[in-house]
Amino acid sequence: MSKKGTWKVKKGLAEMLKGGVIMDVTTPEQAKIAEKAGACAVMALERVPADIRAAGGVARMADPTVILRIMDVATIPVMAKARIGHFVEAQILEELGADYIDESEVLTPADEDFHIDKSQFKVPFVCGCRNLGEALRRIGEGSAMIRTKGEPGTGNVVEAVRHMRKVMSEIRRVQGMPKDELMATAKEMNAPYELLLQVKELGRMPVVNFAAGGIASPADAALMMQLGCDGVFVGSGIFKSNDPAARAEAIVAATTHYNEPKVLAEVSRGLGEAMPGLEISSIQPNERMQERGW
């Protein structure tokens, strides 16, 4: 691996996005809206999660033409999604010049047993998790960035909250744990021991952790930041609302000023209707995207 793709470089690139908002976009026009609103990066895909959920069937990596058109207009980093375990889609995205690859449960998994060996790529990866053990397994495979999973395409933040609280409580537990209990805990979590040791010493994950899935309002974004994430992903929440530009700017402002209720009250006003929401209980367990991966 060349110096360009070292772990230190990939981890550092991900840390540069800290405190920011990453927005799903499907067209160059949406990428411009996201960039103008202050997004720190965009995620190029063919359909936002709400449309993927509605269409059903197999969801794959976006057409390279779409990704390249978005890369042509964006001056901020451009991410793109590959299916879980689909290392050839990742090879294609790296060849196209994507700045980050999201090995994503939003798409239909390609491999039921194995994730991509991300250490073989120069480009940094981001992966989802529902708990600390899942996060550390992905980091062990080479993911330079983690996002806690919500239930994408629902406009319902409850699952993102559940998983962020779970991760943060497990970090606090590990931090206060005697070192001689770590090996047994690593076995219990099915997590690499050396990474668990880093969590104990750092009091946080070894890489940045964003929140994702169901964020649809400035208040949702600020909630996730106050719960301890380093930034947020917003997908359907912006471009399925009735005023995407205004909502995008408001969510960026709320992520920056997440601890300032006066600012949050101001930016939350007059945004029009948010995207329609879905109750999680109305989604069959086998249709929940957060369950994909392990």
Side-chain angles (χ1 to χ4, degrees), residues 189-241:
M189 291 185 174
N190 198 17
Y193 170 79
E194 293 300 327
L195 291 176
L196 200 63
L197 180 59
Q198 287 186 41
V199 170
K200 176 175 173 55
E201 292 172 347
L202 296 171
R204 55 161 297 138
M205 278 196 208
V207 302
V208 290
N209 175 28
F210 279 41
I215 295 167
S217 70
D220 287 347
L223 172 64
M224 300 314 302
M225 293 297 288
Q226 290 194 31
L227 288 175
C229 69
D230 294 313
V232 298
F233 283 82
V234 184
S236 315
I238 289 178
F239 291 104
K240 288 298 179 183
S241 71

Side-chain angles (χ1 to χ4, degrees), residues 17 20 31 41 65 76-77 96 104 108 110 130 150 152 155 159 162 164 170 198 212-213 235 259 276 284:
L17 305 180
T65 304
I76 54 179
L96 291 174
S104 179
T108 308
R130 290 166 294 172
E159 295 301 293
R162 183 198 312 278
M164 179 59 69
E170 289 177 325
Q198 287 186 41
N259 253 337
Q284 293 298 317

Side-chain angles (χ1 to χ4, degrees), residues 14-40:
E15 287 173 351
M16 289 173 67
L17 305 180
K18 194 173 180 180
V21 179
I22 300 166
M23 298 182 192
D24 285 351
V25 298
T26 59
T27 66
E29 291 74 23
Q30 290 181 352
K32 289 179 181 176
I33 291 172
E35 188 166 333
K36 186 177 179 183
C40 65

